Amino acid sequence: MDEEWIPSDIMKIEPWYRNFYENTATVQFNHRVLGTSTAVGAIGLAALGLSPARAALLTPQVRKGLYAIGLASAGQVTLGITTLLTYVPLSLAAAHQIGSIVVLTSGVYLTHSLRYARPAVLRMARGATAGKPSAVGKQ
């Protein structure tokens, strides 16, 4: 946006709330900030979850979900930047829209796969709380 990190035209329209859907500079800035934070969070989650210390505790489905969300987010950022640098050709703009569906689907798959824990993880969790009184199973 004119080689500025924060555009000078941001929040110029009155009343202020119209900027979020009528001011191109504000909309683009919001898209950039939300896209960057989503990508950093998703790629960071994938990197943290796939670290050697944690990877052994994950089910194959969770590992696939972490790979999917990390790759989909990285691909979406790359596609978004490429779309802007090539002055928004329709084919890349449409691919960027489809990429958002891929990122969402990857997140849903990862969330679903986290419901199923490996038995070793459950045993570790029970062992950690073995010294504490538990209301579960007592009548």
Side-chain angles (χ1 to χ4, degrees):
M1 308 222 48
D2 293 332
E3 299 180 16
E4 297 174 314
W5 283 100
I6 299 175
S8 57
D9 294 343
I10 198 167
M11 301 299 283
K12 292 278 185 169
I13 298 175
E14 290 294 330
W16 65 271
Y17 58 84
R18 288 181 48 206
N19 286 288
F20 293 106
Y21 53 90
E22 291 183 14
N23 186 340
T24 306
T26 305
V27 170
Q28 181 61 37
F29 180 73
N30 288 341
H31 184 84
R32 187 186 311 163
V33 168
L34 291 172
T36 302
S37 60
T38 300
V40 167
I43 294 168
L45 175 68
L48 192 64
L50 292 170
S51 66
R54 291 180 179 89
L57 299 173
L58 303 176
T59 62
Q61 293 81 9
V62 173
R63 278 195 296 278
K64 286 179 191 174
L66 287 170
Y67 280 122
I69 195 76
L71 289 173
S73 296
Q76 181 71 344
V77 167
T78 304
L79 193 55
I81 292 170
T82 304
T83 301
L84 286 176
L85 291 178
T86 56
Y87 299 103
V88 196
L90 186 59
S91 58
L92 284 179
H96 187 61
Q97 292 294 317
I98 292 170
S100 67
I101 296 170
V102 173
V103 171
L104 175 67
T105 304
S106 300
V108 170
Y109 176 79
L110 175 61
T111 302
H112 176 72
S113 67
L114 286 169
R115 293 188 59 193
Y116 306 103
R118 211 167 250 235
V121 174
L122 294 175
R123 281 194 298 275
M124 280 187 355
R126 275 191 229 118
T129 60
K132 300 177 185 174
S134 175
V136 178
K138 292 185 180 180
Q139 296 193 6

